[in-house]
Amino acid sequence: MHAIPTRSSPYTDEFAEELFEQKTSSGRSIQEAFPSAKWVFPSSQERYSTVFQEEMDEWFDIYSLTDPTAREELQVEGLHHSVEFLLNLMRDEARLVSQERIFLLGLSQGSATGLNGWLPFRTQIGESASKGRLAEFFKSKLGLDVCGRKSVTPIFLGHNNDDEVIDIELGRQARHALQGLGMNIVWREEQEGGHLGMLNPSGLDPIAAFLRDMVIATDTAT
């Protein structure tokens, strides 16, 4: 799942090219590391961006990149449509392979949509979970029917200390909130790499290792 593009034109193809051009420390691309994998690059919907003051591809609108909690109501419509779109996409893929072999990877706003980078509505989610009303929150706030049970699926979260767009403290808060929900979080914190840090060896190496461990675990279980 792509980030917010730096220009008002489709970004999906460019993101795919950028990702596959980068090499891990072994000298292989992430695509070469998993040669039998099918890679799907969904594109977000074009909507008006409050931050950039123009129409552009983004997963949801946001008022401030430095304080994602500001005017969170702007995020609701986009999050609802984007999450529904991704769920339907994964359901389609699950007709071809078992759901244990489907992995969701996101960068920047794409990762926030998949509950990475930062966690939209972090405070409300935590409060709802503490009251046993997590599924009710998602239904009333985002119009989504989700299971309120804890997930044992490992979630990889990576963030760089020198991220110039999204402060690493927001990533730490997301990790803490998700751990508070009982989720299995694998946290990776790098000193350098900037906002798009996954597009370099130090960012790709831990992602490739995580995916490799997940594939091995799936093969062992079957």
Side-chain angles (χ1 to χ4, degrees):
M1 297 165 61
H2 60 75
I4 299 176
T6 55
R7 49 185 171 69
S8 54
S9 61
Y11 180 57
T12 305
D13 291 343
E14 182 179 327
F15 174 49
E17 292 175 3
E18 289 178 347
L19 177 61
F20 289 156
E21 284 175 355
Q22 303 305 313
K23 305 294 184 181
T24 64
S25 59
S26 67
R28 297 188 299 174
S29 69
I30 193 77
Q31 187 180 32
E32 292 168 337
F34 301 95
S36 62
K38 174 186 176 182
W39 295 82
V40 178
F41 290 86
S43 179
S44 61
Q45 179 181 332
E46 185 178 88
R47 53 175 49 89
Y48 183 77
S49 170
T50 301
V51 171
F52 296 101
Q53 299 287 297
E54 63 177 316
E55 295 284 335
M56 62 193 317
D57 287 347
E58 61 176 7
W59 296 102
F60 56 90
D61 193 17
I62 186 170
Y63 182 73
S64 169
L65 293 175
T66 56
D67 181 13
T69 63
R71 296 190 61 185
E72 283 186 307
E73 72 277 3
L74 293 175
Q75 303 174 28
V76 172
E77 181 181 5
L79 278 172
H80 168 77
H81 290 297
S82 293
V83 172
E84 281 282 12
F85 166 68
L86 292 168
L87 287 174
N88 287 331
L89 178 62
M90 288 188 286
R91 291 187 187 107
D92 289 341
E93 293 300 321
R95 296 188 179 100
L96 305 175
V97 296
S98 65
Q99 62 182 12
E100 290 80 11
R101 290 185 174 275
I102 297 176
F103 303 95
L104 188 63
L105 174 66
L107 175 68
S108 189
Q109 195 191 55
S111 65
T113 308
L115 304 184
N116 195 329
W118 76 84
L119 180 62
F121 301 101
R122 175 178 56 84
T123 301
Q124 297 96 314
I125 288 174
E127 292 175 350
S128 299
S130 67
K131 299 175 183 178
R133 297 177 177 175
L134 189 59
E136 180 182 327
F137 167 81
F138 281 108
K139 179 65 176 177
S140 62
K141 190 68 176 180
L142 299 178
L144 298 171
D145 290 310
V146 300
C147 178
R149 294 176 298 177
K150 295 180 180 179
S151 173
V152 297
T153 302
I155 300 174
F156 177 91
L157 300 183
H159 214 125
N160 293 321
N161 270 286
D162 63 347
D163 190 329
E164 70 280 7
V165 178
I166 301 298
D167 194 289
I168 192 172
E169 186 56 34
L170 294 172
R172 292 168 180 157
Q173 291 172 7
R175 174 197 61 185
H176 179 74
L178 293 172
Q179 287 176 331
L181 296 177
M183 295 185 176
N184 182 6
I185 304 301
V186 178
W187 172 256
R188 179 79 179 207
E189 190 172 310
E190 298 287 347
Q191 293 301 313
E192 298 179 347
H195 182 56
L196 304 181
M198 69 170 285
L199 298 178
N200 58 53
S202 64
L204 285 177
D205 280 353
I207 293 174
F210 174 79
L211 291 174
R212 190 160 45 248
D213 289 344
M214 291 294 293
V215 170
I216 292 174
T218 302
D219 288 342
T220 302
T222 56

